[in-house]
Amino acid sequence: MTVWAMCSGHEAEGVYGVPVDLSSVIIAVAGVAGTLGGALLTQRGSERAKRREIELVRDHEEVRENRSLRRTCYVELNRDARQFTTALNRHLHVLRERGVEEADSDALEEAKNAHRDRYSEAQMIAPEEVLMRASVVNQALNKVYGQVKRLERGAPEPGETLETAAQAQYEVWEMLRTMRTAMRHDLGVSHED
C-alpha cells in the first residue's frame, strides 16, 4: 500500500497480510508513549521529592548544629564570666586582708583571660540580643578589673576605694542573670520575655 493510503486513513496491509487500521496504530503508539512518559514524569517527581527531603534534613541538621554550638559557647561564657566575677571578689578580699601575692594575681589573670576568650567566641556566634547582654557584662567586668588593679598598685582614681570596687563587682551578678536569661531564651530553654 502507498504512503498516501496509510496517511488517508485507509487500511493498510500489516504483518502476515492482516489489515491494519492507521488510527489503531496511532492510538497504540500514543498509549505506549503515555505509559513511558508517565513513568518518566513519576521518576522525575520522585527525584525532586528526594532532593527536597535531603535539603530539609540538611537544613534541620544545620539548625541543630548551630544551636549546639551556641549552647556550648553560652555555657562556657556563663561559667567563665561567673569565675571572673568570683576571682575579682576573692582578689578584693585578699587586698583587704593581706598583700597580694603572685599566685593571687595569676589566678585573677587566668580568670580574666578565660572570660576574654569566651567573650571573643560569643562575638562570632551569638545573636545581637545575647551579644548586647554579654557586652554589658564584659564592660562591667573590665571596669571592676581596672579598679582592682589600680587599688592593688596603690594608684586609685578619684573616688575608687575597696568599697566602691566591691559594690561594682557585686552589681555584675545582676548583669550575669540578665545575660543568662537572654542566652536561655535564644536556646528555647526559657520562654520569658
Side-chain angles (χ1 to χ4, degrees):
M1 181 161 275
T2 65
V3 172
W4 174 84
M6 286 193 264
C7 293
S8 65
H10 291 83
E11 287 187 6
E13 202 172 293
V15 180
Y16 305 113
V18 177
V20 176
D21 183 10
L22 187 57
S23 59
S24 297
V25 171
I26 292 173
I27 290 172
V29 168
V32 169
T35 302
L36 294 175
L40 182 63
L41 288 176
T42 301
Q43 181 182 0
R44 282 190 177 190
S46 176
E47 288 172 359
R48 205 172 301 129
K50 279 185 178 183
R51 276 195 303 271
R52 271 189 249 131
E53 184 180 337
I54 289 169
E55 288 172 13
L56 287 173
V57 168
R58 282 183 187 154
D59 290 346
H60 179 69
E61 284 296 317
E62 185 176 326
V63 166
R64 209 170 88 200
E65 287 174 14
N66 285 338
R67 181 175 287 136
S68 178
L69 183 63
R70 286 194 324 271
R71 182 183 305 117
T72 299
C73 176
Y74 293 170
V75 166
E76 292 174 353
L77 177 61
N78 185 57
R79 178 199 63 219
D80 290 343
R82 292 174 62 84
Q83 287 178 346
F84 187 18
T85 304
T86 301
L88 286 166
N89 185 46
R90 193 176 313 123
H91 207 76
L92 285 166
H93 284 293
V94 167
L95 280 172
R96 274 191 206 103
E97 296 169 4
R98 61 176 169 81
V100 175
E101 297 172 3
E102 188 176 335
D104 300 318
S105 290
D106 289 347
L108 182 59
E109 289 303 311
E110 186 178 314
K112 176 184 176 284
N113 291 339
H115 174 261
R116 180 201 59 221
D117 292 346
R118 290 309 144 249
Y119 179 67
S120 296
E121 183 180 349
Q123 288 179 310
M124 298 296 111
I125 296 172
E128 198 59 39
E129 180 64 26
V130 172
L131 193 54
M132 185 174 68
R133 305 293 182 209
S135 177
V136 168
V137 169
N138 184 59
Q139 290 172 14
L141 285 169
N142 286 321
K143 181 180 177 187
V144 174
Y145 175 80
Q147 290 179 34
V148 167
K149 294 307 272 184
R150 286 188 293 276
L151 288 166
E152 182 183 320
R153 287 191 309 268
E157 290 184 355
E160 287 183 341
T161 64
L162 286 173
E163 290 73 31
T164 60
Q167 180 60 38
Q169 181 273 329
Y170 178 77
E171 291 171 0
V172 173
W173 289 109
E174 184 58 37
M175 297 173 205
L176 285 169
R177 281 188 278 281
T178 302
M179 179 182 75
R180 185 182 62 235
T181 298
M183 290 173 177
R184 289 173 55 86
H185 183 75
D186 179 49
L187 294 173
V189 176
S190 173
H191 299 291
E192 302 166 4
D193 287 320

